[in-house]
Amino acid sequence: MRVSGKPYRTVWMPDAATVRIIDQRRLPWAFELIELHTVAEVAAAIRDMAVRGAGCIGATAAYGMALAVREARSAADLQALAAQLIATRPTAVNLAWAVNLQLEAIRDGGPEIARPTAERVADEDAAACAAIGQHGLHLLQDLAARHPGRPLNILTHCNAGWLAFVDHGSATGPIYAAHAAGIPIHVWVDETRPRNQGVRLTGWELAQEGVPHTVIADNAGGHLMQHGLVDLVITGADRVTRVGDAANKIGTYLKALAARDNGVPFYIALPSSTFDWSLSDGIREIPIEQRNAEELTHAEGIDESGRESTLRIIPAGSPVANYGFDVTPARLITGLITERGICPASEDGIRKLYPEAV
């Protein structure tokens, strides 16, 4: 996608010893690139959310394994470096999927296969999101035809845009495709506390692409749905079970409940790398990451002079629980938008698109 008119991916490898990423912690105040040269640096970038989003951290971890083969002196070393990467973020399945894919490729093809495998992971992630966009485009075209003469209002939560993947994005893929096709689109952007990934990342990238949007408080979505101001909800996911339960940024479940109560279609957009084929009960089996309390106790922003600053917003004596994700059960999901098409959020529906996996 474009930044000030110039195309970028979120992560790439300019040479055999370097992984280059967009530092998402600095957005939208500054657009900065970081170079990573060790597995420890890659792990820190994932853990500290310099890179984040299911597909993006999967690709970053795959590139990290290309660095790992340069560091490892034995098979045990390589396993330890792989474990270091996997331990950084427990909820998003793309991370472990990419690392294990690399381990298998290296075992069969030797260390020299690691970088080409990482490039393949990145290319396939971008291609999957582009395909998600085209499948979702048909859905938005049908909806727009039912509401002629006005923009189609879409609500999303957190950031499942191109910043969360290598390119295009999952939830934003259909939005960008519809915008490019000339369909009038307006996006309601949840702020997505506590890290404000909606306003800071989704709002920023929609502005870069010229997509009309409005930032709202997290708890405003239900009100908008009650008043007929939302035609469709699309979010991404960090892990989806084989029966269609979906883990995504905390607050997604509440949007699904409000959508069901108001008859608003609720879709999850994801590439196949986000499925966890081993799980059948998302609420009980998907690990939910609990993150640093400071994400809740403090807020980042810029002051009147344009300087970045951090402020405490919670009394020092109040304890904090910072759950990073929740699980939306399949029964609340209208459908899954994947690179192979749209299917019901059910084991039978998923099996029809992925017969080899379920």
Side-chain angles (χ1 to χ4, degrees):
M1 304 300 285
R2 293 170 295 185
V3 180
S4 300
K6 181 179 178 180
Y8 283 90
R9 283 186 167 189
T10 54
V11 56
W12 66 101
M13 204 168 189
D15 59 64
T18 306
V19 176
R20 190 170 291 163
I21 64 170
I22 297 169
D23 188 352
Q24 298 189 35
R25 299 167 301 185
R26 300 298 313 284
L27 293 172
W29 326 123
F31 180 78
E32 292 186 357
L33 305 180
I34 298 177
E35 291 191 348
L36 312 172
H37 300 99
T38 68
V39 172
E41 290 175 351
V42 173
I46 296 171
R47 183 178 56 251
D48 299 340
M49 297 182 75
V51 290
R52 31 70 52 206
C56 183
I57 63 175
T60 303
Y63 283 122
M65 288 299 293
L67 297 180
V69 297
R70 297 169 59 88
E71 294 181 34
R73 296 292 176 263
S74 66
D77 284 349
L78 188 64
Q79 288 287 344
L81 292 169
Q84 182 180 353
L85 289 169
I86 290 173
T88 55
R89 299 292 304 278
T91 300
V93 73
N94 299 63
L95 175 59
W97 168 83
V99 172
N100 288 325
L101 182 72
Q102 279 280 40
L103 286 172
E104 183 177 346
I106 295 163
R107 183 193 65 213
D108 295 341
E112 63 275 8
I113 203 69
R115 187 179 179 189
T117 300
E119 299 290 2
R120 178 167 61 87
V121 168
D123 289 345
E124 289 179 355
D125 183 80
C129 286
I132 287 168
Q134 290 305 305
H135 291 301
L137 171 60
H138 300 310
L139 175 66
L140 299 192
Q141 286 171 327
D142 291 342
L143 276 174
R146 300 178 204 171
H147 305 287
R150 69 165 177 83
L152 192 64
N153 287 302
I154 301 171
L155 185 145
T156 191
H157 187 68
C158 194
N159 175 261
W162 72 268
L163 288 166
F165 290 84
V166 175
D167 207 348
H168 302 290
S170 60
T172 58
I175 293 169
Y176 291 136
H179 180 67
I183 298 173
I185 294 286
H186 170 263
V187 183
W188 297 109
V189 179
D190 276 358
E191 60 183 342
T192 320
R193 284 277 297 149
R195 293 189 63 91
N196 292 324
Q197 290 134 307
V199 58
R200 292 184 59 170
L201 302 180
T202 302
W204 177 81
E205 66 171 79
L206 290 174
Q208 295 295 314
E209 289 296 313
V211 178
H213 63 281
T214 304
V215 175
I216 58 171
D218 282 350
N219 290 329
H223 167 78
L224 295 174
M225 293 183 214
Q226 284 180 329
H227 290 270
L229 297 175
V230 178
D231 299 306
L232 178 74
V233 180
I234 308 178
T235 77
D238 290 84
R239 187 185 299 230
V240 176
T241 70
R242 68 172 183 266
V243 301
D245 301 330
N248 193 50
K249 180 58 59 181
I250 195 78
T252 304
Y253 172 48
L254 297 181
K255 295 300 183 297
L257 287 171
R260 172 59 61 89
D261 190 49
N262 290 280
V264 176
F266 181 95
Y267 284 85
I268 297 285
L270 74 154
S272 58
S273 56
T274 300
F275 281 109
D276 187 334
W277 307 109
S278 70
L279 302 186
S280 60
D281 187 336
I283 294 173
R284 291 173 176 81
E285 294 178 324
I286 295 178
I288 299 300
E289 181 179 355
Q290 295 193 51
R291 294 189 55 79
N292 193 304
E294 287 189 2
E295 292 181 352
L296 271 178
T297 59
H298 292 70
E300 299 173 342
I302 56 173
D303 61 22
E304 294 294 332
S305 66
R307 292 177 302 181
E308 295 179 45
S309 60
T310 301
L311 297 174
R312 186 178 183 91
I313 59 173
I314 291 177
S318 295
V320 167
N322 184 15
Y323 297 95
F325 303 87
D326 58 24
V327 176
T328 299
R331 61 183 171 80
L332 297 178
I333 301 170
T334 307
L336 305 175
I337 310 174
T338 80
E339 76 271 25
R340 293 191 183 180
I342 301 175
C343 69
S346 67
E347 189 164 11
D348 286 343
I350 295 168
R351 184 185 294 116
K352 288 178 181 178
L353 287 185
Y354 298 94
E356 77 282 5
V358 180

